[in-house]
Amino acid sequence: MQKFCRIALAVSLSVGLSVSAFAFEKPHTPEELPVLMPESQHTTASKRITSRFTRAHYKKVTIDDALSGEVFDRFIKQLDYARTVFLATDIESFQQHRLEFDTVLMRGKLDIAYTIFNVNLQRRLERYEYAVSLLDSKGDKNPFDFTKEELYVFDREEAPWPANTAELDELWRLKVKSDVLNLILTNKEWPKIKEVLTKRYNYAIKRLKQSESEDAFQLLMNSFARVVEPHTSYLSPRNAERFQVDMNLSLEGIGAELRSVEDYTVIHRVVTGGPADKSNQLKSKDRIVGVAQGDKDFEDVIGWRLDDVVELIKGAKGTTVRLQILSGDSDDAANITIVSIVRDIIKLEDRAAKSAVYLEKPEDADSQKLGVITIPSFYNNLSQDVKKEIASLKEQGVKGIIVDLRGNGGGSLSEATLLTGLFIDKGPVVQIRDGANRIQVNSDRDGVSFFDGPLSVMVDRYSASASEIFSAAIQDYGRGVIIGEHTFGKGTVQQHRGLGRVYDLYEKPLGSIQYTIAKFYRINGGSTQHRGVLPDISFPTAIDPEDWGESKEENALPWDFIPQASYTPLHVLNKDIEYLSSRYQQRIKDNAEFNDLLEDINTYKAEKDDKTISLNLVTRKAEREERKNKRLLRVNKQLALLGKDKVTDLEDLPEELDELDPFLDEAARITFDFISLDKIAQTQNSKK
């Protein structure tokens, strides 16, 4: 929440590249860049996308000059969000095509968009080459003076376009100076800083050279899609496949997460139980330098795009892939080993729902127990997994359950209904209205509740869509208490549709689209669109709904309402929530972690509109020291509460601190209070 966190994020987004161990010896010239052109399947895909959006989208889409201008603006924004690449003269020359993007989309005549994309590649190349030249400008001497009072503006979304190359050079001089200062603050000396940044910028140049036609098409189609509505999108063939993996939590391959680090494809993590894990021959940080299918020859994949390497490695269950592996701790080609792996179906269990038991008194194993079910997304068969977790928790004697939906952006609409059905006997869960104003009610009909005890649901501003359907239904039925932050506010339903046809003869596949076909509504008739779900008990948050959420999205559908469904609340919790809230408010008055959080929130709100960072070394060191001392003070208070010794350096922090979750702890206290209400009610009834 602090300013330096926002700055670090802005810098990482602006660079978006890891440091490369590969230094280029020959200079880069404009001729080395690919000249991208639309491929044959892109013309057809564009026409099909336009047709689908205009005929089947929930929102009435008209292809006209107004939409053309909006798509043009979004396309330019996507290419140069910070306005540090294009010149004002570039933008002026592009403006003549502003009202031609309707033709680009409807007829699939994509050349204009590709021309603009190619200019962007050229300008980016020029910028990174300029950045490298700055580092070389004084040889072995640091070319920057960090005693000056200069500011780096890291968010220029609303700034004017640079009028000339001199203005662009000045923006990039400040950017490179900021990159240098960040490394100085990590105690690196100039020779090492120069080496690191030169490799970083050269690696960025190499990535520009690896740009493909699909990159430009994807950017253009998503500019169109997002002008229509923020949850409408085009997915390239590879992204469409990843979407299915995320929904099914399974894939066919070797079971290893890969990353692009420097010039190599590196194993980030081996999935437990997968073929790579069972081989006992692959480990984190190993580098893949060659890939072969079965007994065929190896292809050298050093310097390849990550998604191209992934495409080679994945494959159907039962087939064999061979990998040439260079150990993460060796650069000697003589140490390359060959690993042969038979592909299989990989279950991504780390992304599945999981449960844990929470003790009211951790030091007392016989104290009252809660179950905590963490749900990362609403994937296919989620409800069956949660049903198993509930059964396990009941066997362990839990008195209540917390369903943790923090950070859960949604997923399957049907799974939201099925999950709700685990906690109610039967009844409507969500209402859905399509573009023809037809209303459908999705209900739980099995007449069985798999858990009928005290229930809490944790949400935050990142809980969206299916998370909001479940939370809203639990709230409307009075089935449980919603705890946390105001949710995202996404009340729309999307359909995923492939663009390919059985009769297509294209060499490359067409991608797919995801577009809005309906809006969903609570059973009380209100939409969660924009408004989301308001928790019964709110935790402090730095996230203002005006800064993040559906209400912040451009072209979002409006809030509205329909008649409520026919349902009967299970409980009226108003008085219970008043009691729980008063107990919560009393507790957090003396809760150091919550007070620290409130302090951070106030600091964030005071600084969030400042888009600059000082490039004065003394100032930055002082700010860093202040943050460090503040952090040390806080962690030592936490360590004292845990009965552990203080630390003098943040690098010596014990792992236990990483596992602390003050919000979950407070949600547990609220839920234990909720459980106690049943005892209170029983006591009161016995006195009558």
Side-chain angles (χ1 to χ4, degrees), residues 394 422-423 425 449-455 479 571:
K394 288 168 72 172
L422 300 181
F423 298 97
D425 289 341
S449 174
F450 287 85
F451 181 78
D452 56 9
L455 175 69
R479 175 62 188 86
H571 307 285

Side-chain angles (χ1 to χ4, degrees), residues 307-321:
D307 49 3
D308 289 333
V309 181
V310 171
E311 194 73 20
L312 278 182
I313 294 175
K314 71 183 183 184
K317 175 182 177 181
T319 59
T320 299
V321 62

Side-chain angles (χ1 to χ4, degrees), residues 65-90:
D65 285 351
L67 181 134
S68 178
E70 289 184 58
V71 175
F72 171 85
D73 289 340
R74 177 61 71 105
F75 187 57
I76 297 297
K77 184 176 182 179
Q78 294 287 88
L79 287 170
D80 189 9
Y81 175 84
R83 301 194 174 189
T84 58
V85 177
F86 283 132
L87 292 165
T89 51
D90 292 328

Side-chain angles (χ1 to χ4, degrees), residues 5 136 145 159 170 182 256 269 377 448 488 545 565 586 625 627:
C5 294
D136 289 336
D145 180 358
E170 176 61 10
N182 287 335
R269 185 178 71 90
S377 68
V448 178
F488 187 88
Q586 190 62 39
E625 195 64 23
R627 290 193 300 268

Side-chain angles (χ1 to χ4, degrees), residues 94 138 469 494 530 640 663:
F94 300 153
K138 290 192 178 181
I469 292 173
Q494 282 71 46
H530 285 298
F663 287 130

Side-chain angles (χ1 to χ4, degrees), residues 470-480 482 522 533-536 571 573:
F470 174 77
S471 303
I474 295 299
Q475 191 174 58
D476 290 343
Y477 274 110
R479 175 62 188 86
I482 312 301
R522 302 173 68 135
V533 177
L534 285 170
D536 299 311
H571 307 285
L573 297 178

Side-chain angles (χ1 to χ4, degrees), residues 352-395:
K354 57 180 179 293
S355 67
V357 171
Y358 189 106
L359 293 173
E360 185 173 18
K361 298 177 182 178
E363 69 280 2
D364 181 2
D366 294 325
S367 65
Q368 202 163 216
K369 299 175 182 177
L370 284 179
V372 179
I373 301 177
T374 303
I375 302 177
S377 68
F378 281 76
Y379 55 88
N380 295 334
N381 294 317
L382 165 68
S383 56
Q384 293 300 315
D385 288 350
V386 173
K387 189 185 298 185
K388 295 175 184 176
E389 299 299 331
I390 290 174
S392 173
L393 292 171
K394 288 168 72 172
E395 287 179 2

